[in-house]
Amino acid sequence: MTPDHFDHLQFPGALINIVAFRMRHRLDQHLRKYGLDVSVWPVLACLWQQDGVPQARIGEILGVPGYAMSRGVDRLEHAGLVIRQNDPDNRRIRRVFLTDAGRAMQAVLQPVACQLNRDMLTALEPSEQAQLVALLRKLIDQS
């Protein structure tokens, strides 16, 4: 590709961003029905898999800077979906726990997210879907 013929749609990063934007937008529309937005979704999804994770560890898992993680947890705490507690063994560590309301949201929101993913991937055969996930994980692991 030469400088006089630049096509950003030839770059995987640009294509990933387009797909991610579309998926985020659709998920955001559903989350807003519950007073949430897409910025808190990864935190909820992480806590549904493992509750009581240190706040800094959630950021590491998601690849999100600390300030962004703190804002997301603040929003979820304000909404009554999570609480923060000091780690009993190390007071510098703040663990994030789902409240009953936060756990209940899983039954409501997880099926929506799963359906949105299925809808987005309908253009791909099941084997292509599996290959896409494997390739994306490979990229994440190497970065």
Side-chain angles (χ1 to χ4, degrees), residues 28 31 37-43 68 72 75:
D28 196 55
L31 292 172
D37 64 54
V38 75
S39 69
V40 299
W41 171 254
V43 178
R75 283 193 190 127

Side-chain angles (χ1 to χ4, degrees), residues 26-61:
R26 291 175 184 155
L27 181 59
D28 196 55
Q29 290 176 316
H30 289 280
L31 292 172
R32 288 192 183 279
K33 296 174 187 174
Y34 301 96
L36 303 172
D37 64 54
V38 75
S39 69
V40 299
W41 171 254
V43 178
L44 280 173
C46 182
L47 291 171
W48 290 333
Q49 285 187 288
Q50 184 180 357
D51 199 12
V53 178
Q55 184 172 315
R57 179 68 184 130
I58 296 170
E60 291 169 10
I61 291 167

